[in-house]
Amino acid sequence: MRVELLGLPVDLLSYDATVGRALAAMRGEAPRCQHVALNVAKLVNARRDPELDRDIRDSDLIGIDGAGIALALRLLGQRGVERVAGIDLFESLIAACAEHGFRPYLLGARPDVVADTARALTQRHPGLELAGYHHGYFRPEQEAEICRQIEMSGAHCLFIALPTPHKERFMRRHRDALNVPFLMGVGGSFDVVSGRVQRAPRSVQALGAEWFYRLAQEPRRLAGRYLKTNAVFAGLLLGAAARRFVAPQTAGPLGRGRGR
């Protein structure tokens, strides 16, 4: 079910249902599926970036990646909200690829990081065959050749570790020409899989504080972004909650009635 949160659509799909939809696309039982993982920073940035807003809206599946998104949906009255963290989905789909013979293509990160990610995944999953991989440090004039390589690889799925909004833009621009059944942006997942960044313990994830764990590891890179987007998001959420309390018949359960 698709609902709207603070001006952007979100799909309320369980973890298992999300995996199932991706595999159905890879098997050819469903249309091509482009997945976008929505977190607080992406939602806030989309409000001032019309092209990112369009990239998200035009996606086939908009998943609840961030704990903040899941919490906001619950606070605004939505039931049955399940977070589907992008890195967990990525790792589950890689395992499914190894089991069913699907061939993923990895795009993004530094050359050493994507190479180490490919090596780690094939060691972890002995049956896994990669369609190929390419780093994310390419020039605009090289993009067409990279797309040609991806198309010729016969990949069943494409995982893109470029920063926002570049991965969303890449998918929307090339999804039809690539002929890849399932496409997904995976953010910093390659850094985790390759061992460059340590993921938060399960207990921290369960508390919804994984963002703080990442901040502690990379304070210079993340501090400004997190502080700014989290503060804006908190203000938006408080405003939506107030409108729901004062005029629920106008705002609706997710604060939809006031626009952006």
Side-chain angles (χ1 to χ4, degrees):
M1 179 176 67
R2 178 162 287 193
V3 300
E4 191 170 299
L5 172 67
L6 302 175
L8 270 182
V10 186
D11 290 310
L12 301 181
L13 209 60
S14 71
Y15 189 91
D16 290 342
T18 304
V19 171
R21 185 161 173 183
L23 293 179
M26 293 184 212
R27 288 192 294 261
E29 299 170 356
R32 180 221 66 223
C33 182
Q34 177 197 340
H35 177 281
V36 166
L38 187 65
N39 56 27
V40 166
K42 196 174 297 183
L43 183 147
V44 169
N45 289 331
R47 295 178 66 86
R48 52 177 176 251
D49 183 344
E51 194 169 357
L52 177 58
D53 179 276
R54 185 183 63 177
D55 293 338
I56 295 170
R57 289 180 185 278
D58 286 352
S59 301
D60 303 303
L61 187 57
I62 305 170
I64 304 171
D65 176 40
I69 299 296
L71 176 61
L73 286 164
R74 296 186 188 110
L75 289 176
L76 294 176
Q78 184 62 53
R79 297 181 179 180
V81 176
E82 182 177 341
R83 182 190 175 203
V84 182
I87 186 169
D88 291 333
L89 180 59
F90 168 60
E91 292 185 339
S92 290
L93 291 176
I94 288 292
C97 285
E99 180 181 355
H100 299 291
F102 297 133
R103 302 169 66 244
Y105 195 105
L106 311 178
L107 175 66
R110 298 197 314 263
D112 59 320
V113 172
V114 70
D116 287 350
T117 299
R119 188 177 304 110
L121 291 175
T122 52
Q123 290 175 351
R124 190 181 305 171
H125 305 283
L128 180 67
E129 180 185 354
L130 294 177
Y133 63 87
H134 196 286
H135 63 80
Y137 287 77
F138 51 85
R139 299 185 300 276
E141 60 269 23
Q142 298 174 304
E143 195 166 303
E145 173 59 23
I146 291 170
C147 290
R148 189 192 69 82
Q149 292 176 17
I150 295 171
E151 182 188 6
M152 296 297 293
S153 73
H156 295 90
C157 47
L158 171 63
F159 298 105
I160 305 175
L162 298 174
T164 296
H166 301 292
K167 59 179 175 291
E168 291 81 13
R169 206 134 300 160
F170 185 95
M171 286 191 288
R172 188 176 187 277
R173 187 162 56 235
H174 300 297
R175 61 190 177 189
D176 294 326
L178 290 173
N179 198 30
V180 177
F182 180 77
L183 306 89
M184 175 184 173
V186 295
S189 295
F190 292 1
D191 290 321
V192 175
V193 173
S194 66
R196 265 62 172 189
V197 174
Q198 184 180 0
R199 194 175 179 196
R202 289 289 181 183
S203 57
V204 176
Q205 296 176 39
L207 292 172
E210 193 167 4
W211 66 272
F212 188 78
Y213 193 88
R214 282 195 63 200
L215 175 61
Q217 293 185 77
E218 302 179 272
R220 289 186 179 181
R221 187 172 74 87
L222 298 177
R225 186 183 79 181
Y226 278 171
L227 289 174
K228 182 184 297 184
T229 56
N230 285 359
V232 172
F233 184 75
L236 293 170
L237 184 56
L238 285 172
R243 288 194 298 272
R244 181 169 179 262
F245 178 77
V246 173
Q249 73 281 4
T250 302
L254 300 179
R256 295 194 291 265
R258 301 289 181 157
R260 300 180 62 236

